Amino acid sequence: LTEWLHSESGSPAMLFQKGMNYLYAKQGAEQNIQLGMNMLHEAAEKSYLPAQRELAIIYENGLFGYQNTESIA
């Protein structure tokens, strides 16, 4: 939780990198999917393209139990 509170002032690139570390348990981080996804969403909302791309991949492929619930007409 402390990490998340301090991330709010972070740059989109930092949020993305930390979020990826939490999602994939890299750089010594314990896997924390919810925190990782929150950080990726925050970076994506700041128009950070790599975060937007990663979220698209996660939802498209149903990774970590997330699925795109919208159907294509």
Side-chain angles (χ1 to χ4, degrees):
L1 182 60
T2 305
E3 248 342 281
W4 172 247
L5 293 174
H6 292 299
S7 74
E8 291 183 13
S9 61
S11 71
M14 183 191 76
L15 289 166
F16 172 73
Q17 189 58 55
K18 284 187 173 187
M20 293 293 285
N21 289 344
Y22 281 117
L23 284 176
Y24 297 102
K26 294 184 176 182
Q27 302 288 326
E30 277 190 46
Q31 189 173 41
N32 185 328
I33 294 168
Q34 182 177 357
L35 182 57
M37 288 294 286
N38 287 343
M39 289 180 159
L40 285 185
H41 275 281
E42 188 174 340
E45 288 172 3
K46 294 180 178 184
S47 301
Y48 191 64
L49 188 58
Q52 294 171 348
R53 180 181 182 277
E54 187 65 28
L55 287 171
I57 291 168
I58 289 169
Y59 287 118
E60 182 70 27
N61 295 300
L63 302 178
F64 309 112
Y66 290 94
Q67 294 180 353
N68 183 358
T69 57
E70 294 181 21
S71 60
I72 299 174

